[in-house]
Amino acid sequence: MAEGKLYLRPIGFLYGPPAEAAIEDGLALPLAGGPIAFTAAVVIEGDLTSSQRRLVSVEALEESRDADLGAVLERVTRPRPPFAGLSLARPTLMGIVNVTPDSFSDGGLYDETEGAVAHAAELASEGAEIVDIGGESTRPGSDAVADDDELSRVVPVLEELKGSPAVISIDTRKSTVARAAAKAGAKILNDVSALTYDPACLDVAAEEGLDVVLMHAQGVPKTMQDNPTYDDVVLEVFDYLESRIEACEAAGIGRARIAADPGLGFGKTLAHNLALLANLSLFHGLGVPLLVGASRKRFIGGLGQNKDPKSREPGSHAAAIASAAQGVQILRVHDVAGSRQALAVWRASMFGIEN
Ligand code: 9MG
């Protein structure tokens, strides 16, 4: 066996009754303790520049006496505790509300408090269990926004959303905004810099009891798409997220309060995004719930030749299904009603369940 770190990418998925039967017979294992089972895995051993891959059945995995493999397998299969009070038993939708004048998809339509509040309420009524409120655009090429501007955009919206049936998430990289958002009722801190842009976010999340979404990004929004480069994008993103989970734990944010996100479109080429999408199941080895945001991103437009973000919904739904099919628990989307319908049809077809 080659020396190096071990990664495990579950494959050969089963859904519904066949999954239950295969688990019962020892032919499959549950993915993150959920309703999807996997029958085999690609075991990757090595580092970012050189790795060996082999296909191993679940039976062989379970028979292995390799302690490292056993540890990864345990992280991949163990049930996840609720995140921000949500069970995550079914794919959970995080609806996007951009309170920014230059939002890439809302075209500034919802940049007023009232519009944002109404939009958040609409997304919740359509089935978003989480609503993500952001006052700084992080689309490629964007400039950072001053703390005061971001605060003045999001705090009035958060105040109005107190009592919302959805869990409120604040999309920010700034500790001042995260603190104010927590005081105004936010329960999740969604940080596209994984709490590195403003390291004080670590203490704020710990002190305010915020659950956190740690997203991978290479570079900052202004320049991140200039020339993103990786030796092995999948393993590098995995290692980064693992190190950020450790940093959170060291700061007093327990693993049960963390979700991880590979950050599609953030310092990634089309090939990088597709490699991540195809390998999402490997990220269950982080031992935390996964969140994926593909909605209306440029790579979807690139594949489908759609320049207008709003015309990227069919591709966004396909990416959401591809993610859910690999056990991703939370999907960050613009079109909640459409995503819900697409996922319901996928679930009904694959699991034989109607809700
Ligand atoms: C704020 N934001 C924009 N895209 C995102 C993505 O893919 N994931 C997360 N967590 N946040 C995002």
Side-chain angles (χ1 to χ4, degrees), residues 37-309:
F38 62 99
T39 55
V42 179
V43 176
I44 304 167
E45 192 164 8
D47 57 33
L48 302 181
T49 51
S50 134
S51 55
Q52 285 186 9
R53 283 149 211 257
R54 61 204 161 93
L55 188 60
V56 184
S57 70
V58 152
E59 289 157 292
L61 282 176
E62 288 207 288
E63 276 164 20
S64 166
R65 290 168 196 276
D66 185 313
D68 291 343
L69 196 54
V72 187
L73 196 58
E74 197 276 323
R75 281 197 297 277
V76 167
T77 55
R78 75 169 167 235
R80 306 298 185 240
F83 178 71
L86 300 168
S87 81
L88 311 179
R90 293 187 295 184
T92 298
L93 295 177
M94 171 189 262
I96 301 168
V97 177
N98 292 311
V99 199
T100 53
D102 59 346
S103 156
F104 74 92
S105 56
D106 290 333
L109 260 185
Y110 294 105
D111 57 355
E112 303 290 337
T113 303
E114 270 176 38
V117 171
H119 189 48
E122 187 186 3
L123 296 183
S125 74
E126 289 172 352
E129 290 181 76
I130 306 170
V131 175
D132 193 33
I133 311 291
E136 178 186 57
S137 173
T138 49
R139 69 178 175 174
S142 302
D143 289 306
V145 168
D147 289 31
D148 283 350
D149 289 341
E150 198 176 327
L151 281 164
S152 68
R153 289 175 188 171
V154 297
V155 172
V157 175
L158 296 167
E159 290 291 348
E160 290 287 324
L161 288 176
K162 282 182 178 165
S164 162
V167 173
I168 303 301
S169 162
I170 179 71
D171 154 20
T172 188
R173 302 181 291 169
K174 303 192 183 83
S175 58
T176 50
V177 179
R179 176 91 69 191
K183 303 279 184 225
K187 298 282 179 250
I188 298 174
L189 168 56
N190 173 32
D191 185 342
V192 299
S193 78
L195 315 188
T196 61
Y197 178 82
D198 178 355
C201 281
L202 282 164
D203 290 336
V204 169
E207 288 160 14
E208 300 289 344
L210 288 164
D211 285 17
V212 297
V213 178
L214 303 174
M215 197 200 80
H216 174 274
Q218 188 181 83
V220 289
K222 183 79 184 162
T223 51
M224 66 190 179
Q225 288 306 107
D226 287 355
N227 182 27
T229 310
Y230 300 86
D231 285 322
D232 183 320
V233 65
V234 175
L235 302 190
E236 198 164 327
V237 171
F238 183 99
D239 286 355
Y240 174 82
L241 291 171
E242 189 174 51
S243 73
R244 295 311 300 157
I245 291 169
E246 284 164 11
C248 282
E249 287 186 302
I253 307 165
R255 194 170 274 261
R257 288 176 38 210
I258 301 171
D261 178 346
L264 299 179
F266 281 76
K268 279 124 192 153
T269 63
L270 174 62
H272 296 144
N273 288 316
L274 296 181
L276 289 166
L277 263 176
N279 286 275
L280 286 172
S281 67
L282 179 137
F283 291 89
H284 290 297
L286 293 167
V288 299
L290 302 179
L291 184 152
V292 165
S295 185
R296 297 185 183 173
K297 292 216 167 136
R298 280 182 197 184
F299 77 93
I300 289 182
L303 283 173
Q305 302 296 314
N306 298 99
K307 284 224 159 60
D308 172 18

